Amino acid sequence: MEGITAYCLPLRRMCEIQEPRLVTLKNGRKAVRGRAKDAPQYTIFRIVSDSEAKQVESILSKQSGT
């Protein structure tokens, strides 16, 4: 399974999101938030569309089911 990725500003590269959570921002948009796999001290997030949010929910439910 391919992990969810986001751009990490301190590392200046794309990183896989460790312990991803689906959150809703103040303006109602969905985002995935978690820690950078390469450097866990950094919190990273990625804004996703509604269709991507459904895919992320299915990925997270599969991970929690195992």
Side-chain angles (χ1 to χ4, degrees):
M1 177 186 81
E2 186 176 323
I4 304 164
T5 60
Y7 189 78
C8 182
L9 288 172
L11 298 178
R12 296 183 183 177
R13 60 186 160 117
M14 294 295 285
C15 295
E16 189 173 340
I17 299 177
Q18 196 174 26
E19 303 171 11
R21 292 178 288 135
L22 193 63
V23 295
T24 304
L25 304 177
K26 287 182 181 180
N27 63 0
R29 301 225 22 212
K30 302 283 185 175
V32 180
R33 178 176 287 171
R35 299 259 177 216
K37 186 173 184 178
D38 299 336
Q41 69 268 26
Y42 299 124
T43 300
I44 58 177
F45 75 95
R46 176 181 177 175
I47 296 173
V48 295
S49 66
D50 289 335
S51 60
E52 288 176 326
K54 290 178 184 178
Q55 291 175 352
V56 169
E57 285 176 347
S58 68
I59 290 171
L60 295 177
S61 65
K62 288 179 186 176
Q63 287 179 352
S64 65
T66 56

